């Protein structure tokens, strides 16, 4: 017999009980039958209670597992968030350093280009001066050559004829 059936029998026993005169809220019941039902209930309660205790135990275990899993998920999310923040910081630092390196390289490149331009201009000036001086020297020598030549020609023409 289940606990539910026993409780229904107790309820039926109370319904069939005769009322006590001048006390409407009191009834006369078969005490022997009530004791039997209570004993049956006691015998059947442990299975029902065990089942309820198992359900409660399972519920508590499931809740604890869910809480542990939730804590683990939160920890993992926090660790991931920290990793992302750290990664972003690393990326920002890398971008900053890359920008500094590019800026420095550009400045150095500009300085090298300017120094190279100045060097080449200086070399061209030196070459121009060299060739200008060489041209003047050639022109001066050519002039001297012409003068010497004309003097020799003039001396030949001025020689007495024999």
């Amino acid at each position: 017999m289940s606990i539910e059936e026993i409780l229904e029998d107790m309820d039926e026993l109370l319904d069939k009980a005769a009322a006590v005169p001048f006390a409407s809220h009191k009834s006369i019941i078969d005490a022997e039958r009530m004791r039997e039902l209570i004993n049956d209930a006691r015998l059947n309660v442990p299975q029902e209670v065990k089942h309820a205790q198992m359900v409660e135990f399972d519920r508590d275990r499931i809740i604890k597992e869910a809480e542990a899993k939730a804590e683990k998920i939160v920890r993992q999310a926090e660790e991931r968030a920290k990793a992302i923040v750290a990664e972003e910081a690393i990326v920002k630092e890398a971008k900053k350093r890359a920008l500094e390196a590019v800026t420095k390289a550009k400045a150095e490149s500009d300085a090298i280009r300017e120094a190279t331009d100045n060097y080449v201009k200086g070399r061209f000036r030196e070459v121009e001066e060299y060739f200008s001086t060489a041209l003047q020297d050639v022109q001066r020598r050519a002039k001297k050559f012409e003068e010497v030549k004309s003097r020799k020609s003039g001396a030949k023409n001025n020689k007495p004829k024999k």
Side-chain angles (χ1 to χ4, degrees), residues 9-74:
D9 286 349
M10 286 178 162
D11 196 30
E12 188 179 313
L13 184 64
L14 288 173
D15 287 341
K16 290 181 182 177
V20 174
F22 305 110
S24 63
H25 63 285
K26 293 186 179 183
S27 302
I28 297 173
I29 61 166
D30 181 356
E32 188 75 26
R33 178 69 181 135
M34 182 57 85
R35 279 196 199 336
E36 287 175 13
L37 292 171
I38 289 172
N39 284 335
D40 286 346
R42 283 189 180 131
L43 291 174
N44 287 304
V45 167
Q47 288 180 350
E48 300 293 331
V49 171
K50 284 180 185 176
H51 180 67
Q53 286 173 338
M54 285 178 26
V55 168
E56 183 180 9
F57 176 78
D58 285 346
R59 180 197 60 150
D60 290 344
R61 180 185 52 80
I62 290 169
I63 288 172
K64 285 179 184 175
E65 286 175 4
E67 287 173 346
K69 191 171 185 178
E71 286 178 23
K72 181 179 176 184
I73 290 169
V74 168

Side-chain angles (χ1 to χ4, degrees), residues 62-103:
I62 290 169
I63 288 172
K64 285 179 184 175
E65 286 175 4
E67 287 173 346
K69 191 171 185 178
E71 286 178 23
K72 181 179 176 184
I73 290 169
V74 168
R75 253 191 334 273
Q76 288 174 340
E78 287 173 347
E79 289 172 5
R80 180 70 178 130
K82 285 179 186 176
I84 289 170
V85 167
E87 190 175 298
E88 285 180 23
I90 291 170
V91 168
K92 281 183 182 179
E93 183 65 24
K95 284 181 180 179
K96 179 183 170 189
R97 287 186 182 181
L99 181 61
E100 288 172 358
V102 167
T103 303

Side-chain angles (χ1 to χ4, degrees), residues 91-151:
V91 168
K92 281 183 182 179
E93 183 65 24
K95 284 181 180 179
K96 179 183 170 189
R97 287 186 182 181
L99 181 61
E100 288 172 358
V102 167
T103 303
K104 183 179 178 183
K106 184 168 177 9
E108 288 177 3
S109 171
D110 291 345
I112 290 170
R113 185 175 292 121
E114 186 177 340
T116 302
D117 289 348
N118 290 338
Y119 175 79
V120 170
K121 285 179 188 176
R123 293 283 106 187
F124 278 139
R125 266 189 253 113
E126 289 175 10
V127 168
E128 184 181 12
E129 286 176 21
Y130 173 79
F131 282 117
S132 178
T133 303
L135 179 62
Q136 289 172 359
D137 188 44
V138 167
Q139 288 173 341
R140 194 176 61 243
R141 288 177 190 238
K143 189 176 178 182
K144 275 189 183 182
F145 176 74
E146 287 299 320
E147 287 174 4
V148 169
K149 184 178 163 185
S150 16
R151 266 190 268 155

